[in-house]
Amino acid sequence: MKTKNRPPRRRAPVQDTEATPGEGTPDGSLPNPGPEPAKGLRSRPARAAAGAPGEGRRRRPGPSGPAGRRDSSIQRRLESNERERQRMHKLNNAFQALREVIPHVRADKKLSKIETLTLAKNYIKSLTATILTMSSSRLPGLEGPGPKLYQHYQQQQQQVAGGALGATEAQPQGHLQRYSTQIHSFREGT
DNA sequence: TAGGCCATCTGGTCCT
DNA sequence: AGGACCAGATGGCCTA
């Protein structure tokens, strides 16, 4: 992900895409077999089967879409679409990889993206807290990196949050508590 | 049926 | 210039 410092974007006026689900690919869009079926509750084949034959969701382009363009423009758009699909697939693969390393209870239920990110954040924080706790307790006195680690961690937290961390949040135990609470909420299915 | 989640399309913006 | 990134729009699928 690139780091960009750009002003807030404003979406261009909405084009009337005249969505007509189930019409397939009237514009000759590339068929979308997909590099791999989406891993999850719903697979692409399942989606495709319910819609147009052999196709997932494909909208018919509106006046500004490929249907009203020159061939070269259409080709570029289709290639761009394909790249975007690949990019999103890579992103989803990364999400899946992340899901697989986050311990959580309901293994039968796939974590959503927002759940994955939130859980991962709290998991990292709880691991950090654990490391800090262990390193400081195992090395009594001024020896070892424990106290320094903890001080460094606290400084980082204050910088990142702009000093807006709550009292509980600033403590390693707070992260652990939050993570276990979240795990519990997933177990309850809430 | 409503709401949540998701895949895809699309055009704008930024980067190389 | 072309590709990557981003976010809005759209519509399908699933669950409560």
Side-chain angles (χ1 to χ4, degrees):
Chain A
M1 186 74 71
K2 289 185 208 170
T3 306
K4 286 182 235 179
N5 186 16
R6 69 170 85 157
R9 298 173 64 253
R10 278 187 36 193
R11 172 125 183 105
V14 180
Q15 308 287 354
D16 181 12
T17 54
E18 199 179 356
T20 51
E23 287 198 8
T25 58
D27 61 312
S29 298
L30 299 175
N32 180 29
E36 85 282 349
K39 316 176 189 90
L41 301 177
R42 289 158 283 177
S43 63
R44 292 298 303 163
R47 291 166 172 269
E55 185 54 55
R57 337 165 180 195
R58 191 57 48 88
R59 284 175 288 157
R60 185 173 67 183
S64 68
R69 300 183 205 170
R70 310 182 77 89
D71 286 354
S72 60
S73 178
I74 294 172
Q75 189 58 35
R76 254 184 286 131
R77 187 64 256 178
L78 293 180
E79 289 171 359
S80 179
N81 289 349
E82 178 62 21
R83 281 193 301 272
E84 177 67 7
R85 269 197 301 274
Q86 295 299 326
R87 195 181 71 85
M88 295 309 296
H89 287 153
K90 278 198 250 179
L91 183 63
N92 287 334
N93 286 342
F95 264 104
Q96 184 56 32
L98 188 55
R99 283 186 189 101
E100 289 169 5
V101 297
I102 302 174
H104 64 284
V105 282
R106 301 171 56 92
D108 55 319
K109 177 180 175 292
K110 180 190 173 190
L111 292 174
S112 69
K113 291 180 178 179
I114 185 67
E115 286 171 341
T116 301
L117 290 179
T118 305
L119 208 51
K121 181 198 77 173
N122 290 324
Y123 182 49
I124 290 170
K125 286 188 172 185
S126 75
L127 289 181
T128 303
T130 301
I131 291 170
L132 290 173
T133 301
M134 289 179 68
S135 62
S136 61
S137 63
R138 190 164 54 85
L139 299 165
L142 298 177
E143 297 173 19
K148 279 185 182 176
L149 258 181
Y150 185 57
Q151 287 171 14
H152 177 71
Y153 175 76
Q154 282 192 313
Q155 279 181 353
Q156 292 286 316
Q157 290 298 302
Q158 284 166 8
Q159 284 173 9
V160 167
L165 286 175
T168 307
E169 189 76 11
Q171 313 257 347
Q173 299 90 329
H175 300 317
L176 198 54
Q177 188 173 15
R178 172 172 293 223
Y179 180 66
S180 60
T181 300
Q182 196 175 21
I183 282 285
H184 188 69
S185 72
F186 277 119
R187 178 181 293 146
E188 299 294 318
T190 56

